[in-house]
């Protein structure tokens, strides 16, 4: 799986399948990819989030659910898909419904989808490292992200306020 300025592609044993016609990502942009079960997600700030619903059988990228935000970076954190820089708000972290990134991303206590605006003085979200726990890298700060359960979905704790990531995806 990969992406170019105006396309996403899938490489298979039979060749390359391109999904074209996307908005240019621009000089400062890049695609970021994350796996969630059998799905792959691709984000960048200038295009709708795209997905491959089944990585074992699908080769064409399609737009994700209309409520899925655009973003700078994407990663699986526990049972959620998290998108950094969601919908052009550079310090916003938004997450999917519990174990359902293909569902509605609207804030809901029922589905546990939601968002958090991280400290502005830390700058934009540059990357997310996922797994059971997450780490959110902003330009001038780093925070831990832990799923804690209802009614609060995540606990965010700054553990570095002097250093961060200067380059997206680093």
């Amino acid at each position: 799986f990969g992406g170019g300025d105006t396309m996403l592609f899938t490489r298979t044993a039979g060749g390359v399948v391109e999904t074209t016609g996307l908005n240019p990502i621009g000089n400062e942009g890049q695609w970021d990819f994350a796996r969630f079960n059998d799905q792959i997600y691709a984000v960048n700030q200038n295009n709708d989030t795209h997905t491959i619903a089944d990585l074992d059988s699908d080769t064409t990228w399609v737009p994700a659910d209309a409520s899925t935000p655009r973003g700078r970076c994407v990663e699986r954190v526990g049972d959620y898909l998290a998108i950094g820089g969601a919908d052009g708000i550079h310090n916003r972290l938004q997450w999917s419904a519990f174990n359902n990134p293909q569902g509605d991303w609207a804030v809901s206590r029922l589905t546990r989808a939601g968002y958090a605006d991280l400290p502005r003085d830390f700058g934009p979200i540059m990357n997310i490292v996922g797994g059971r726990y997450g780490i959110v890298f902003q330009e001038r700060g780093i925070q831990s992200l832990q799923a804690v359960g209802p009614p609060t979905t995540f606990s965010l704790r700054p553990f570095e306020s002097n250093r961060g990531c200067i380059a997206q995806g680093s």
Side-chain angles (χ1 to χ4, degrees):
F1 304 105
D5 189 41
T6 60
M7 70 168 183
L8 288 164
F9 62 85
T10 306
R11 181 172 295 211
T12 66
V16 176
V17 177
E18 295 180 352
T19 302
T20 59
L22 302 174
N23 295 325
I25 60 174
N27 293 336
E28 307 254 338
Q30 64 185 34
W31 288 100
D32 193 35
F33 300 88
R35 180 176 178 172
F36 194 100
N37 297 336
D38 292 335
Q39 304 147 16
I40 301 290
Y41 288 84
V43 300
N44 81 51
Q45 295 176 350
N46 294 332
N47 287 283
D48 292 335
T49 297
H50 278 65
T51 185
I52 289 185
D54 185 342
L55 64 91
D56 291 327
S57 61
D58 295 338
T59 57
T60 302
W61 292 92
V62 296
D65 181 88
S67 66
T68 308
R70 293 180 178 194
R72 174 184 292 244
C73 52
V74 61
E75 189 60 64
R76 181 179 185 159
V77 179
D79 291 314
Y80 299 88
L81 190 67
I83 295 178
D87 284 336
I89 302 171
H90 298 299
N91 63 320
R92 177 164 288 174
L93 179 70
Q94 189 164 348
W95 54 87
S96 68
F98 178 80
N99 206 28
N100 188 14
Q102 290 182 328
D104 191 350
W105 283 60
V107 174
S108 168
R109 291 187 72 174
L110 180 64
T111 68
R112 301 187 60 203
Y115 72 89
D117 289 336
L118 306 185
R120 286 184 181 270
D121 56 328
F122 283 6
I125 296 172
M126 304 305 269
N127 201 6
I128 304 167
V129 176
R132 185 173 179 193
Y133 307 103
I135 300 174
V136 180
F137 291 88
Q138 289 178 261
E139 193 174 60
R140 294 176 298 279
I142 304 170
Q143 299 199 47
S144 67
L145 178 65
Q146 182 177 359
V148 293
T152 302
T153 303
F154 283 108
S155 169
L156 282 152
R157 294 191 178 140
F159 65 85
E160 178 61 59
S161 59
N162 295 316
R163 292 176 286 181
C165 287
I166 194 165
Q168 180 180 344
S170 61

